[in-house]
Amino acid sequence: MVKSEEEPGAVKLCSACVEELPNDKFSKKQWSAKRQRRCKDCVESDRDIDSKAVTQHRAAAAAATAAQSSTNPSRATATGTATTTTTTDNPSNKKKKKEKPAYAGNQKACYEPAPAEAGIDYIPMKLASEICAWCGKSEENKNKLMGCMGCRNILFCSTTCQKAAWPEHKLVCDQYKKDRKKTKKVRKILKTGAFSMSEASGVGSFFLDYHPKSAGDGGFALTTISYTGELRGDEKPGQYFATEVSRNALKSSLGPQKFPLFCQHMEQASLNHRGTLKRVEFCTEIDELNAVDQFLLSCGSLDDMDRAKIALPFVLNQIGISGLKPDGSIPNIGDITVRGYGLNALEWASRRGNHDIAEWLATDSRTKVMLTRTDSAPVAWACYTNKIGLAKMLVHHGANSHATTEVVFGYKPAMHLASENGSLLAVKFLVEDCGHDIQERDTLGEDMRASLRRNNRAWASVAGCVAVDEYAKSKRVCGG
């Protein structure tokens, strides 16, 4: 096969000087390039490609061709036929690869607009995902941008720009990282409804691995609930089924072969947990749990007000038939707390930031007793997680912002609790709106700054904690 030569008089467009030039003005590599070719002179002078001028030139050429076709349609048809015949008869011509459509793995096409129509200009735009966050330099000439290794949220063209931007970026880098993780968790929850969470208090901890069954899904779904720090009544440490209903449901899901193996694993784990205060329970659905556990979980980690309202009458009925407490007093809804964890329903809703549930519990005549109990500290837990709006609502309805309990990490003041989490707004709310003494000391005799340094070793690298420390310092808290 004889190699075909270029058509005599063929010209191509230089994307730098925007001129149509013959073959001898280009290097062999540049001539064969499909896009963004540069002539020899532009390559030697290192002249950049002018994308805007190229687009304008092509738009003008397209307009001229369209105008010529409209004035002489027969010639355009003949020319088109001749071109087609030439392409077919030349066996050396290869099929051109189809251009990838935008948003289909063609990242470049996502950001480059389509060629403008005749007589219409456009201004090329650069997104934040392709420019340096400090100097604004774009990713050109194969100079790739580098992402921040902490938050992976912004890009830099060099270490020089990264160092220059660090004094400002370090104030938000940690929050960007948390938001990124939170976004992944939210996407998982929205997709499957499954999530895991672990929380601790001054007396114990709680862990939930929640996997609900999808509608119409007959597959295996297992929810694990772990309590550490307390065993009630005849409870023993180890792994158990939450209820008899849970046992039957798991037996049906696992089948006759896998279920005995699962039970053997539970027995071995129970032996390993002997002598501890850790109890793990399994179920396939929340409906299998008793009313008290359903109520507490709905007010806390599940954030399900409808379920909580349905379960509340059953909980009150159980309290009514339970008799007097060991000290002779009458029990109420505030005595119902999470095993090991120690929080009542209002405290748990406040810590989780479940505003609607917390407001319902604080205003309902059957549950608002939790708001004023001396052994309940919902405002402290709301400030601990920086839920300022929720804390203000609780104080408005009569909650004591000074209240603290053993569950609050050993009678820790609410202001100290907020400072260790870097919640500056919560600290200001307690000091300026609720009248807390910023010089207040904890049970160890330490003020807020000293407590912050002892309980949060990484405080200096957390922007919120640094801000709290500066605020306390401006109020003449010595740090001792």
Side-chain angles (χ1 to χ4, degrees):
M1 181 182 294
V2 180
K3 185 177 180 180
S4 64
E5 298 181 355
E6 292 289 343
E7 183 182 349
V11 294
K12 290 188 178 182
L13 183 66
C14 173
S15 299
C17 61
V18 198
E19 293 182 7
E20 294 185 351
L21 302 172
N23 185 1
D24 58 349
K25 294 295 183 179
F26 295 89
S27 65
K28 185 176 180 180
K29 180 179 180 180
Q30 291 289 339
W31 179 261
S32 60
K34 292 184 178 180
R35 291 184 178 182
Q36 297 185 345
R37 64 179 63 82
R38 294 188 299 174
C39 63
K40 294 178 181 179
D41 295 337
C42 292
V43 172
E44 290 178 2
S45 60
D46 196 20
R47 187 172 181 177
D48 292 334
I49 291 173
D50 191 346
S51 301
K52 182 179 179 181
V54 171
T55 303
Q56 292 176 347
H57 177 86
R58 289 176 177 169
T65 303
Q68 187 177 5
S69 300
S70 61
T71 56
N72 193 358
S74 60
R75 183 179 177 183
T77 306
T79 305
T81 306
T83 305
T84 306
T85 305
T86 304
T87 304
T88 306
D89 295 340
N90 189 354
S92 64
N93 288 339
K94 297 180 180 179
K95 289 185 178 179
K96 293 183 179 180
K97 294 182 179 179
K98 293 183 179 180
E99 295 179 6
K100 295 180 180 179
Y103 307 103
N106 186 8
Q107 184 179 5
K108 189 174 182 181
C110 295
Y111 307 119
E112 288 188 358
E117 296 181 3
I120 300 178
D121 259 354
Y122 76 93
I123 301 175
M125 300 296 291
K126 294 289 184 181
L127 303 184
S129 59
E130 58 177 356
I131 62 173
C132 175
W134 181 251
C135 68
K137 183 177 179 181
S138 61
E139 186 173 305
E140 295 177 350
N141 300 329
K142 298 183 179 180
N143 293 325
K144 293 185 178 181
L145 301 178
M146 301 174 291
C148 172
M149 294 301 293
C151 64
R152 298 182 181 180
N153 197 63
I154 60 174
L155 302 173
F156 298 102
C157 63
S158 63
T159 54
T160 303
C161 285
Q162 185 179 14
K163 290 179 181 178
W166 178 242
E168 295 181 5
H169 179 58
K170 69 179 181 180
L171 300 176
V172 295
C173 188
D174 286 342
Q175 188 60 45
Y176 281 165
K177 187 175 181 180
K178 291 179 181 179
D179 291 344
R180 192 181 188 91
K181 291 182 177 179
K182 185 176 180 180
T183 302
K184 291 181 179 179
K185 187 179 293 185
V186 169
R187 283 201 301 266
K188 180 180 178 182
I189 293 173
L190 292 176
K191 184 177 180 181
T192 64
F195 66 93
S196 297
M197 54 83 64
S198 179
E199 293 178 346
S201 67
V203 295
S205 62
F206 172 84
F207 171 78
L208 173 65
D209 186 21
Y210 180 57
H211 292 273
K213 280 186 178 180
S214 301
D217 182 14
F220 178 68
L222 180 66
T223 294
T224 305
I225 308 173
S226 176
Y227 308 93
T228 304
E230 179 187 12
L231 297 174
R232 296 178 178 176
D234 298 333
E235 292 179 346
K236 297 180 181 179
Q239 295 185 355
Y240 300 92
F241 299 105
T243 60
E244 191 63 27
V245 178
S246 301
R247 177 188 179 89
N248 296 333
L250 279 169
K251 185 176 181 179
S252 176
S253 299
L254 292 174
Q257 296 181 346
K258 294 183 179 180
F259 182 72
L261 297 177
F262 186 81
C263 293
Q264 290 178 10
H265 174 77
M266 292 174 58
E267 292 176 0
Q268 183 61 43
S270 299
L271 293 175
N272 296 335
H273 292 160
R274 183 175 296 175
T276 67
L277 294 177
K278 182 176 182 179
R279 182 180 175 88
V280 180
E281 296 183 354
F282 300 105
C283 65
T284 60
E285 294 183 11
I286 299 299
D287 293 334
E288 299 166 5
L289 303 178
N290 59 57
V292 172
D293 289 339
Q294 286 193 43
F295 175 72
L296 292 171
L297 284 170
S298 299
C299 293
S301 55
L302 296 183
D303 190 13
D304 188 347
M305 181 183 290
D306 293 336
R307 184 188 294 273
K309 288 183 176 181
I310 293 173
L312 178 59
F314 296 94
V315 175
L316 295 174
N317 179 63
Q318 289 190 20
I319 294 174
I321 64 176
S322 62
L324 299 177
K325 295 165 60 177
D327 60 358
S329 59
I330 301 175
N332 58 47
I333 192 67
D335 295 310
I336 303 297
T337 59
V338 184
R339 281 177 286 176
Y341 194 29
L343 274 69
N344 61 36
L346 179 59
E347 289 178 306
W348 204 2
S350 301
R351 174 168 180 164
R352 298 290 299 177
N354 303 336
H355 190 283
D356 293 340
I357 293 180
E359 187 170 17
W360 166 61
L361 294 173
T363 55
D364 192 295
S365 59
R366 299 169 296 176
T367 58
K368 65 181 182 180
V369 64
M370 292 185 287
L371 197 66
T372 54
R373 283 176 62 114
T374 57
D375 59 349
S376 180
V379 177
W381 287 117
C383 291
Y384 176 62
T385 51
N386 204 25
K387 304 299 188 298
I388 311 303
L390 199 156
K392 290 181 178 180
M393 179 273 296
L394 293 172
V395 172
H396 173 73
H397 287 296
N400 181 10
S401 64
H402 295 268
T404 184
T405 65
E406 182 185 5
V407 180
V408 187
F409 301 104
Y411 298 96
K412 189 181 294 293
M415 190 168 53
H416 289 217
L417 203 64
S419 68
E420 292 169 13
N421 252 14
S423 304
L424 177 60
L425 294 178
V427 173
K428 287 185 174 181
F429 163 70
L430 293 171
V431 174
E432 299 171 6
D433 295 356
C434 300
H436 285 228
D437 182 10
I438 199 168
Q439 303 288 347
E440 184 179 9
R441 297 180 178 271
D442 59 16
T443 56
L444 298 178
E446 295 179 337
D447 61 24
M448 186 169 65
R449 294 182 67 196
S451 176
L452 171 63
R453 285 163 169 75
R454 182 173 61 84
N455 294 292
N456 191 343
R457 299 293 178 86
W459 74 272
S461 62
V462 180
C465 292
V466 174
V468 169
D469 187 71
E470 291 295 329
Y471 174 75
K473 186 177 179 180
S474 67
K475 297 290 186 180
R476 298 182 180 180
V477 179
C478 62

